[in-house]
Amino acid sequence: MMQKKNRAFLKWAGGKYSLVEDIQARLPQANKLIEPFVGAGSVFLNTHYKRYLLNDINPDLINLYNFLKAQPDALINDAREFFSGKRNDEKMYYALRDEFNATQDEYYRAILFLYLNRHGYNGLCRYSLQGRFNVPFGRYKKPYFPEDEMFVFSEKSQKAIFTCLPFEKVFSRARRGNVIYCDPPYAPISKTAAFTSYAARSFGQDAQEKLAELATRTAKKRGIPVLISNHDLPLTRHLYKGADFSMLSVKRSISQNGAKRQPVDEILAFFPASKTIGSKKKKNAVIASTPSQLP
């Protein structure tokens, strides 16, 4: 019987809550799960590894996670006040958004990031090129305060280390016995669908190619398995050639025009760990341990 699923406490575009079972089924056992693109953390919350390395390029997200891990009672208590009726107001929202963009206080910034996530339009996370959070007011009747979900996240995060690094650096931290799951910004369905302003820098085709190369190399040369999710497109099939593919029956509608909405499938690409690496390493170790022939 499937255990109760845990929901992320943040609203997140492209969150993996509905796909957790499919992803879980394809993740091998390991002593640590590494996520270079953790997002709202649905996979982290619904898997059972001893340890986690969770990374995201968005410093506000990682800042919030670190405070929630270290001092959940204080953070949840202080954040609760921002979910009162008087703060669910357009003028107040824009005033607090300005405060968020101006403040250097990391604790206050963490609280405001949660407030903006739940009161802003569609739970989007978007920044201008100057790095200013610019999501408009959401006009929700009564934004939900995710207290229970935050406590669950905090408790589970005692097994996790959070980092804010480029994905390549996170791959370099992986060791044999770990598994890597990647949920990168998805390859665009069309030129107009490109959504790249999630953190104040874009994730274009170069980054998609680099990630695919890194996944292939990490599995083949370093013996560390990698699983990647993305849109099921000719581009992604080409980039992940050599991986084991699983199609997912997710229907994510992309077009803003309801009549033109096309369901788009997703793909999971699994790069299994190469089995030959251990034996090569041992041979090298024997050579290295023989005494030097020099006089």
Side-chain angles (χ1 to χ4, degrees), residues 176 274-283:
R176 295 205 67 192
S274 166
K275 297 282 188 284
T276 56
I277 288 159
S279 52
K280 276 188 198 159
K281 278 237 170 91
K282 275 183 197 140
K283 252 189 234 166

Side-chain angles (χ1 to χ4, degrees), residues 90-105:
E90 190 160 1
K91 255 175 124 164
M92 177 67 93
Y93 175 85
Y94 288 115
L96 287 171
R97 192 180 78 174
D98 285 344
E99 278 192 33
F100 173 78
N101 283 322
T103 186
Q104 297 299 307
D105 180 325

Side-chain angles (χ1 to χ4, degrees), residues 53-286:
L53 173 57
L54 305 174
N55 180 79
D56 202 278
I57 199 69
N58 184 330
D60 292 315
L61 183 69
I62 297 303
N63 180 52
L64 170 57
Y65 289 168
N66 275 323
F67 276 114
L68 187 55
K69 175 185 176 178
Q71 39 187 300
D73 295 322
L75 184 86
I76 290 168
N77 219 19
D78 291 336
R80 191 185 294 109
E81 292 175 31
F82 285 77
F83 285 71
S84 64
K86 66 172 191 235
R87 287 200 172 93
N88 186 26
D89 164 83
E90 190 160 1
K91 255 175 124 164
M92 177 67 93
Y93 175 85
Y94 288 115
L96 287 171
R97 192 180 78 174
D98 285 344
E99 278 192 33
F100 173 78
N101 283 322
T103 186
Q104 297 299 307
D105 180 325
E106 292 189 338
Y107 182 74
Y108 187 40
R109 212 173 156 87
I111 289 168
L112 288 178
F113 187 70
L114 173 65
Y115 164 82
L116 292 169
N117 173 265
R118 285 273 165 187
H119 291 74
Y121 180 74
N122 245 356
L124 285 175
C125 185
R126 195 184 63 192
Y127 298 80
S128 70
L129 291 173
Q130 292 73 41
R132 290 175 67 80
F133 189 88
N134 63 5
V135 175
F137 183 55
R139 301 182 193 285
Y140 298 109
K141 228 182 204 153
K142 191 172 191 276
Y144 172 65
F145 180 57
E147 180 164 348
D148 295 346
E149 292 85 346
M150 288 172 81
F151 275 119
V152 167
F153 190 100
S154 177
E155 198 178 322
K156 181 106 195 236
S157 69
Q158 303 310 311
K159 298 177 171 184
I161 288 170
F162 296 102
T163 58
C164 182
L165 297 165
F167 68 87
E168 303 91 324
K169 289 221 166 116
V170 184
F171 268 80
S172 71
R173 292 190 171 194
R175 297 292 177 262
R176 295 205 67 192
N178 302 167
V179 59
I180 301 174
Y181 168 62
C182 296
D183 181 28
Y186 277 14
I189 303 296
S190 64
K191 291 257 187 325
T192 53
F195 175 67
T196 53
S197 53
Y198 154 67
R201 61 193 81 182
S202 67
F203 196 90
Q205 187 155 332
D206 286 357
Q208 297 283 358
E209 287 170 8
K210 196 185 277 182
L211 175 61
E213 281 166 27
L214 205 45
T216 307
R217 200 162 70 232
T218 301
K220 280 192 178 158
K221 301 258 168 72
R222 300 179 62 208
I224 301 163
V226 182
L227 182 68
I228 306 183
S229 44
N230 212 318
H231 281 138
D232 190 355
L233 300 168
L235 170 70
T236 49
R237 295 242 170 191
H238 170 70
L239 288 179
Y240 306 147
K241 59 182 178 292
D244 301 333
F245 292 131
S246 323
M247 278 66 72
L248 299 180
S249 55
V250 165
K251 301 294 179 201
R252 196 193 294 285
S253 298
I254 301 294
S255 168
Q256 286 177 332
N257 176 342
K260 285 188 186 161
R261 281 195 180 174
Q262 292 299 312
V264 178
D265 284 322
E266 298 195 18
I267 199 167
L268 281 172
F270 181 62
F271 299 83
S274 166
K275 297 282 188 284
T276 56
I277 288 159
S279 52
K280 276 188 198 159
K281 278 237 170 91
K282 275 183 197 140
K283 252 189 234 166
N284 292 343
V286 172

